[in-house]
Amino acid sequence: MDESTTTLALAIGARVKQERQSRGWTLDQLAESAGVSRRMVVNVEQGAANPSVGTLLRISDALGVGLPALVEPPRPKPVKVTRSGEGAALWIGESGGRGVLVAGTESPDVVELWDWTLGARDRHVSEAHTSGTKELLQVQQGTVTVEIAGQSVSLDAGDALTFPGDVAHSYANPGTEPARFSLAVFEPGVATGHRPEASDA
């Protein structure tokens, strides 16, 4: 193989390996699904083979990606930094509380990271999210009362809670001092382009 062919073979191999491992598949599983030999999959992943278009099509079909995706070198995931004060304040409470979206991932499986402050007696009510949504919350300061489908849980600083976000829920500060908590929201299978509204958080 000449240099450009070798470079392409290595790029294809890296992409095949990345896609296979992201699915948790063994070499044998990919070979069986694609209808090619295990040796061929090994050679492709190592960049040692110059596979036919037919072989690449079988492998790309088995992985559920298009052939063009296999010939592009894997790209490093972008790093996005949100500096202090740069998050999007999507909720403002009557007593000065704020729900700030500080980080998030792209669809289809969306993870959001929120920084919440609830002023004295502040309460935020959320409708049920899409099916399968999970929320994880940890109180940093004060006391927070979380209601999930009619069940009430009181949390103090340092306490944490995991609960389904696909039922109606609310966060409230029963005290006279501000309360603060971190919130992670996992929404599986969100359609491309969907951005939650402030009331969804």
Side-chain angles (χ1 to χ4, degrees):
M1 291 191 289
D2 62 29
E3 186 176 343
S4 63
T5 305
T6 300
T7 301
L8 179 59
L10 289 170
I12 290 170
R15 186 60 187 266
V16 168
K17 186 173 184 178
Q18 177 191 53
E19 294 290 342
R20 175 179 64 80
Q21 290 179 337
S22 73
R23 287 159 180 74
W25 286 5
T26 64
L27 291 163
D28 289 324
Q29 286 173 310
L30 176 55
E32 182 179 344
S33 181
V36 300
S37 70
R38 182 181 191 278
R39 171 52 48 199
M40 177 56 77
V41 174
V42 170
N43 286 342
V44 168
E45 288 194 359
Q46 292 177 345
N50 186 11
S52 67
V53 172
T55 297
L56 288 178
L57 277 171
R58 286 195 290 274
I59 290 173
S60 65
D61 285 349
L63 292 170
V65 299
L67 186 56
L70 286 190
V71 300
E72 293 175 7
R75 295 188 182 134
K77 299 293 184 193
V79 175
K80 184 175 182 215
V81 176
T82 304
R83 299 292 181 195
S84 179
E86 291 181 353
L90 299 180
W91 177 81
I92 307 283
E94 293 180 8
S95 300
R98 289 162 54 90
V100 182
L101 180 62
V102 294
T105 62
E106 297 177 358
S107 60
D109 294 327
V110 173
V111 180
E112 300 168 354
L113 181 61
W114 293 78
D115 182 8
W116 280 85
T117 305
L118 296 176
R121 310 295 182 198
D122 259 344
R123 183 168 185 261
H124 173 73
V125 178
S126 178
E127 296 178 3
H129 299 300
T130 55
S131 180
T133 297
K134 304 273 189 270
E135 300 200 15
L136 298 90
L137 179 156
Q138 185 180 35
V139 178
Q140 309 297 326
Q141 172 190 337
T143 300
V144 175
T145 301
V146 183
E147 289 190 10
I148 309 111
Q151 178 185 358
S152 182
V153 179
S154 182
L155 304 168
D156 295 320
D159 293 344
L161 178 68
T162 303
F163 62 96
D166 53 8
V167 294
H169 52 282
S170 67
Y171 325 106
N173 175 5
T176 57
E177 297 297 320
R180 186 172 182 184
F181 62 94
S182 295
L183 178 72
V185 180
F186 169 68
E187 293 181 277
V190 173
T192 303
H194 170 77
R195 283 307 314 149
E197 300 298 327
S199 61
D200 288 343

